[in-house]
Amino acid sequence: MASTKIHIGKFNFENCFMNAAGVYCFDREELEKILNSEAGTFVTKTATLSPRDGNPTPRYQDVPLGSINSMGLPNLGFDYYLEYLLELQKTHPDRTFFFSLVGMSPEDTHTLLKRVQESEFNGLVELNLSCPNVPGKPQIAYDLETTEKLLTEIFSYFKKPLGIKLPPYFDMVHFDQAAAVFNKFPLTFINCVNSIGNGLILDDETVLIKPKDGFGGIGGEYVKPTALANVHAFYKRLNPSIQIIGTGGVLTGRDAFEHILCGASMVQIGTTLHKEGPEAFKRITEELKAIMDEKGYKTIEDFRGKLKYL
Ligand code: SIN
């Protein structure tokens, strides 16, 4: 049968699927459910220096075609997740995990990354440059000058494997400009995409979530075409050493197959995981393997990036 094993940098994973930061990753209990599922690994909720309550509720709503959220980075703080990750390194030495984090300021981000650098953490860092939901804080990666400055500073001291979670871009020129910046750095991966920021979904005459008068990040089916475009645009532009994690609109094995055809190595699942729970990993993995078997693909690398044009 087909194998969905994959590597990111020097790390091997038994399955190419994992959760997207924000879903099933707030605390140990949730992370343990992903750990014990069919997923190849997990990423933590984006950690900030201090714990955060996040935005007022209701702040997440599933809808038929996806989800809207304005969580505002609620999390238990950097120390909580680092402690758990270091514990897992001892209990599961054969596995590798992703640590999502970002500071509320560039200074905070440097403090966090310096602490990771000094720690025993030996997994991958996913630096979140794309949260659309913290009032007054822009999505960092839409400002390429700030992003380049931040990455320049980070890579002067940070020597562990690091990737960045990106917002969706919508213009070919922006793909060119963003890729030119990312190619200057020894990034292990980029993750395309975070939610499509600041959408509005209504129920009759009323918004669905409380923060920001209802504006929130859109996930699920709505997002797949945008996510595939971002994965493929960067696949064509980035140095081959920078791998891509595809996130957005993965409901089925077919959706994952498309992400991989567009160039993704790993595939993250957010809205569907929220709707279905961790059993979703088994179903989607089986569906992907069935497609691979039917097409005669034995490994992810047999078809990764091999999207056909007319
Ligand atoms: C949030 O906590 O607001 C969602 C995380 C994100 O979009 O990065």
Side-chain angles (χ1 to χ4, degrees), residues 20 35 45 69 73 79 81 83 98 100 131 136 153 160 164 176 182 191 218 223 225-226 240 253 279 284 296:
L35 180 72
K45 175 64 187 171
N69 90 85
L73 295 179
D79 291 330
Y81 300 102
E83 188 183 303
F98 288 68
S100 173
C131 179
E153 290 165 358
K160 294 184 176 182
I164 48 179
D176 292 340
F182 305 151
N191 183 344
I218 305 296
V223 172
T226 299
E279 305 78 43
I284 294 172

Side-chain angles (χ1 to χ4, degrees), residues 176-242:
D176 292 340
Q177 291 171 343
V181 169
F182 305 151
N183 276 334
K184 292 183 186 174
F185 300 100
L187 290 162
T188 302
F189 69 92
I190 63 163
N191 183 344
C192 304
V193 293
N194 206 322
S195 57
I196 297 180
N198 296 301
L200 267 178
I201 301 180
L202 310 189
D203 176 22
D204 191 18
E205 298 186 18
T206 310
V207 299
L208 284 184
I209 55 172
K210 185 171 173 65
K212 294 168 65 180
D213 288 343
F215 284 71
I218 305 296
E221 268 181 81
Y222 296 113
V223 172
K224 191 177 79 169
T226 299
L228 294 179
N230 275 259
V231 168
H232 197 57
F234 285 113
Y235 178 73
K236 293 211 292 186
R237 287 167 176 76
L238 290 183
N239 302 331
S241 59
I242 305 178

Side-chain angles (χ1 to χ4, degrees), residues 97-219:
F97 302 98
F98 288 68
F99 191 2
S100 173
L101 50 84
V102 74
M104 285 293 106
S105 65
E107 294 69 35
D108 274 11
T109 297
H110 293 309
T111 304
L112 292 167
L113 288 172
K114 282 178 182 164
R115 288 182 60 189
V116 174
Q117 180 64 35
E118 287 157 11
S119 76
E120 300 286 309
F121 178 67
N122 64 14
L124 291 132
V125 168
E126 181 176 284
L127 178 63
N128 185 352
L129 299 183
S130 50
C131 179
N133 302 328
V134 180
K137 302 277 181 199
Q139 286 164 274
I140 298 166
Y142 281 144
D143 179 346
L144 289 173
E145 220 173 288
T146 299
T147 298
E148 181 166 358
K149 182 170 182 293
L150 188 64
L151 291 175
T152 302
E153 290 165 358
I154 288 169
F155 283 110
S156 71
Y157 61 84
F158 196 78
K159 306 298 172 198
K160 294 184 176 182
L162 179 130
I164 48 179
K165 175 92 174 263
L166 297 172
Y169 297 92
F170 300 95
D171 189 299
M172 296 315 245
V173 171
H174 293 166
F175 290 133
D176 292 340
Q177 291 171 343
V181 169
F182 305 151
N183 276 334
K184 292 183 186 174
F185 300 100
L187 290 162
T188 302
F189 69 92
I190 63 163
N191 183 344
C192 304
V193 293
N194 206 322
S195 57
I196 297 180
N198 296 301
L200 267 178
I201 301 180
L202 310 189
D203 176 22
D204 191 18
E205 298 186 18
T206 310
V207 299
L208 284 184
I209 55 172
K210 185 171 173 65
K212 294 168 65 180
D213 288 343
F215 284 71
I218 305 296

